[in-house]
Amino acid sequence: MSQYVAGIDLGGTNIAAILMDAAGQTRGWATWPTEAGSGPAGVIERIIALIKFIMDQNGITEQQLRGIGLGVPGLVNSREGKSVFSPNLPGWRDIPVAEMVGREIGVPLIIDNDVRMAAWGEKLLGAGRGWEDVICLTLGTGIGSGIFIKGKMFKGRDESAGEIGHVTVEKDGPRCSCGNYGCLEMYASGRGIVRQAREALERGSSSMLLELAGGNAGSITAATVCQAAVKGDRLARQVMEKTALYLGIALAGLANILNPQRIVLGGGVMGAGELLLEPVRRVVRERAMPLNREVEIVAAELGERAGAIGAAALARQEFILEEGRTKWTW
Ligand SMILES: [Zn+2]
């Protein structure tokens, strides 16, 4: 009998679900709107219905489903299967989501933060596969990461390790939402890139950015800045160079601390591709210690499905490959 696992990526807007077979191949895929306004109970009902839906669609029976991986945004207590707090999901505080979903479907379930699940995806099936000491960064609206040491994810005491976005890279930099000043996130996240571009425009620098954004500085996105940089726009290039400098400084520090084999960079900001990667590699070569500067810095491979793929890949590892050695039954 073929075995399958399901991977769920819960977001503030959409819930993505995939089915994965024992070989790690994706067999089915669907997304539904989250309808976050319906509160935790409503959203969890939709997660359960979506899992049943993709199983039906692909003719998979309950006996064939070995387990579920679920990525939840915000702070997660994976040992207790709880969503501790999720700023983008109204009412989500101390929700025993693993128990609520697992009880209904009747299979073991593993949960973690959504960025960590995306990191698992890259580690097991993407740009980090085959490596033991890997750091995966997601450069999205904010910055998140997953740190793997000897193949295991390092989470820290309260599961809040890996907040690379809140490392200080500029002591007199702008104030961050975390209360600190000059965090990496103020420069190398999507929001940080947009902030830098708008400030440069306000200082009167000329640029094609306004035109690309339809004449409205409020419509500038990180993608617009990348697009302008690719076309050779000076302001956009300066912003991307500064982004690469601060990112490189943070990664050189990380490389010195952890001596990883690979650093994998994903998320929307990586739409800039080599335009960002090349200068980041240069800064790391200039600033890390001799052995640590050899770290390979590569682009993520799984794209926007990384979260759901990662959740399924982790479930596959836990419940098929390791046959449920750890008991994640709720
Ligand atoms: Zn911060």
Side-chain angles (χ1 to χ4, degrees), residues 42-158:
V43 171
I44 286 166
E45 245 173 60
R46 289 182 68 72
I47 293 173
I48 293 162
L50 177 56
I51 294 168
K52 291 182 173 167
F53 172 79
I54 53 165
M55 286 171 66
D56 274 357
Q57 283 261 305
N58 293 278
I60 311 259
T61 64
E62 279 176 25
Q63 289 73 30
Q64 288 175 290
L65 190 72
R66 283 281 167 269
I68 298 167
L70 170 59
V72 181
L75 190 58
V76 168
N77 182 331
S78 63
R79 282 180 296 265
E80 293 180 11
K82 277 186 183 163
S83 160
V84 178
F85 173 61
S86 193
N88 295 328
L89 296 169
W92 282 65
R93 246 178 210 283
D94 288 321
I95 303 297
V97 53
E99 187 191 333
M100 291 167 82
V101 177
R103 206 174 37 200
E104 199 61 40
I105 311 258
V107 295
L109 187 142
I110 187 163
I111 76 164
D112 214 325
N113 161 274
D114 55 348
V115 173
R116 291 218 172 102
M117 286 302 192
W120 273 115
E122 293 296 337
K123 163 73 179 72
L124 295 171
L125 297 174
R129 69 186 173 277
W131 301 98
E132 291 280 287
D133 299 319
V134 181
I135 302 167
C136 299
L137 260 76
T138 301
L139 309 168
T141 314
I143 296 178
S145 82
I147 297 172
F148 296 93
I149 298 172
K150 289 192 178 15
K152 290 200 157 49
M153 187 177 278
F154 179 78
K155 296 190 192 177
R157 188 194 59 199
D158 300 311

Side-chain angles (χ1 to χ4, degrees), residues 115 118-119 121-123 126-128 134-146 188-190 193 222 243 247 251 262-273 276-277 280 297-307:
V115 173
E122 293 296 337
K123 163 73 179 72
V134 181
I135 302 167
C136 299
L137 260 76
T138 301
L139 309 168
T141 314
I143 296 178
S145 82
S189 65
I193 289 171
T243 298
L247 189 54
L251 295 187
R262 270 198 167 192
I263 297 176
V264 178
L265 302 180
V269 170
M270 279 304 294
L276 188 63
L277 270 175
V280 166
I297 303 174
V298 299
E301 290 177 2
L302 299 180
E304 58 182 359
R305 291 187 181 182

